Amino acid sequence: MNNRQKRVSAIHDISGFGKCSLTVALPIISAAGIETSVIPTAVLSTHTGGFTGYTYRDLTEDIMPTMQHWKSLNIRFDAIYTGFLGSFRQLDMVAEFFEEFKKPDNLIVVDPVMADNGELYKIFTPEFALGMRKLCEKADIIIPNITEASLLVGEPYQEGPYTGAFIEKLLKKLSAIGPKKIVLTGVYFDEKLLGAAAYDAISDTVDYAFSRKIPGYYHGTGDVFGSALVAAILNDFELSKATEIAVRFTTSSIQRTAEAKTDIRFGVNFEASIPQFLKDLKLL
Ligand code: PXL
């Protein structure tokens, strides 16, 4: 039994308030037993979704020196997990990070954070989607929502409910960009269930994982889902099972937050779902 601890490099911003990006990735992946090295791409007082007047300290200038320092230490990563990136320069730097740290047996996971509900986040221009597409070309796994997926393949956003044929066509177009595995979030075929579709291009299989649809749009849930997915994959779960675990973790976090009537901008109470998450991962 090899008990070497696995290690992820998580490259996202830190939003001080309003749980998302690194304030979500770090606790979730660490709780699952995975060492999490971070590159904060920016420090904000809050995320940009629904708040005004937030601070934004850009840390672009620190990315390459961090990479070079880590190279000099000969650090290896079992996965590189990227999320919110604020500029074209950051996309280029992250692409260079992939070149430096990619190994035959490690995984590049790109969450192309840029849009939701049919709209780009306000700080991005449509050209940013082309830059994000280029980064996705280098990924092993991408985790877009349906809005991001539509932007990546250059198609107009379509409102749900969706059909299996629509989702499967979209998954194939996404894998034609480069990644062999796609986990598409925000999939629903009716108003009762919501979940994700996991596509493996090598075996050409699609597996769905659904849970009860909870009304309301809760911020940071894409990052909760992505972090749980990365944690499950690194704990050696197949993509379809990892997707199921991540859907269950995210939904239970949203459910608890909805019951507490928390402001939807503040992020979800994923912390209380961690014990069940660890049981699902067979760590408890
Ligand atoms: O959860 C995605 C995200 C991450 N980081 C920042 C954001 C958002 C979404 O709005 O604004 C700074």
Side-chain angles (χ1 to χ4, degrees):
M1 172 87 179
N2 178 2
N3 56 9
R4 179 184 70 82
Q5 188 184 18
K6 289 194 179 161
R7 181 187 295 127
V8 172
S9 166
I11 310 178
H12 307 239
D13 69 283
I14 294 189
S15 294
F17 181 76
K19 286 176 276 184
C20 67
S21 46
L22 281 184
T23 64
V24 162
L26 193 47
I28 293 172
I29 301 172
S30 293
I34 314 291
E35 179 180 349
T36 312
S37 311
V38 301
I39 300 189
T41 53
V43 180
L44 295 84
S45 53
T46 66
H47 61 68
T48 66
F51 295 107
T52 53
Y54 48 82
T55 68
Y56 192 112
R57 174 83 52 195
D58 183 70
L59 296 179
T60 302
E61 300 312 324
D62 288 0
I63 298 176
M64 299 321 283
T66 302
M67 182 180 94
Q68 277 140 14
H69 188 209
W70 286 0
K71 258 325 248 191
S72 77
L73 298 171
N74 202 22
I75 300 172
R76 288 166 170 257
F77 298 105
D78 296 285
I80 303 163
Y81 167 39
T82 73
F84 182 92
L85 298 168
S87 64
F88 284 95
R89 270 187 78 213
Q90 289 196 347
L91 291 173
D92 288 344
M93 289 177 178
V94 167
E96 201 170 328
F97 189 92
F98 291 168
E99 296 289 321
E100 290 293 335
F101 288 94
K102 179 66 191 158
K103 300 277 175 218
D105 59 350
N106 68 4
L107 285 176
I108 294 179
V109 184
V110 173
D111 184 350
V113 175
M114 57 183 168
D116 207 353
N117 275 325
E119 285 182 31
L120 268 173
Y121 293 141
K122 286 194 179 57
I123 62 162
F124 295 124
T125 60
E127 293 75 54
F128 187 80
L130 299 175
M132 192 55 98
R133 182 188 156 102
K134 270 184 73 186
L135 193 67
C136 288
E137 287 171 11
K138 301 178 193 305
D140 297 297
I141 306 177
I142 59 170
I143 338 174
N145 59 37
I146 295 200
T147 311
E148 290 157 348
S150 308
L151 286 163
L152 290 173
V153 301
E155 289 193 357
Y157 171 73
Q158 226 176 283
E159 298 263 347
Y162 302 100
T163 61
F166 173 85
I167 296 297
E168 285 159 35
K169 207 165 133 205
L170 189 53
L171 288 167
K172 284 180 191 175
K173 284 189 180 161
L174 288 163
S175 78
I177 294 173
K180 294 286 170 282
K181 293 182 179 178
I182 318 281
V183 180
L184 182 64
T185 60
V187 174
Y188 63 105
F189 296 140
D190 57 48
E191 294 302 331
K192 290 201 193 86
L193 299 176
L194 174 71
Y199 179 59
D200 185 325
I202 303 290
S203 57
D204 194 28
T205 49
V206 182
D207 289 287
Y208 293 95
F210 290 110
S211 201
R212 206 166 60 76
K213 198 165 186 249
I214 304 157
Y217 170 75
Y218 287 83
H219 284 271
T221 51
D223 298 332
V224 170
F225 178 85
S227 303
L229 186 83
V230 167
I233 290 169
L234 287 180
N235 275 289
D236 298 325
F237 286 88
E238 296 278 347
L239 191 70
S240 59
K241 184 66 190 169
T243 302
E244 256 175 50
I245 293 172
V247 165
R248 180 165 145 104
F249 179 63
T250 310
T251 312
S252 65
S253 305
I254 297 172
Q255 176 75 40
R256 179 179 305 106
T257 309
E259 282 163 12
K261 300 191 167 49
T262 310
D263 188 319
I264 57 164
R265 298 172 302 172
F266 290 8
V268 293
N269 180 354
F270 67 85
E271 293 89 339
S273 289
I274 285 178
Q276 182 60 50
F277 177 53
L278 299 188
K279 284 183 196 152
D280 291 346
L281 293 176
K282 308 206 182 312
L283 295 171
L284 278 187

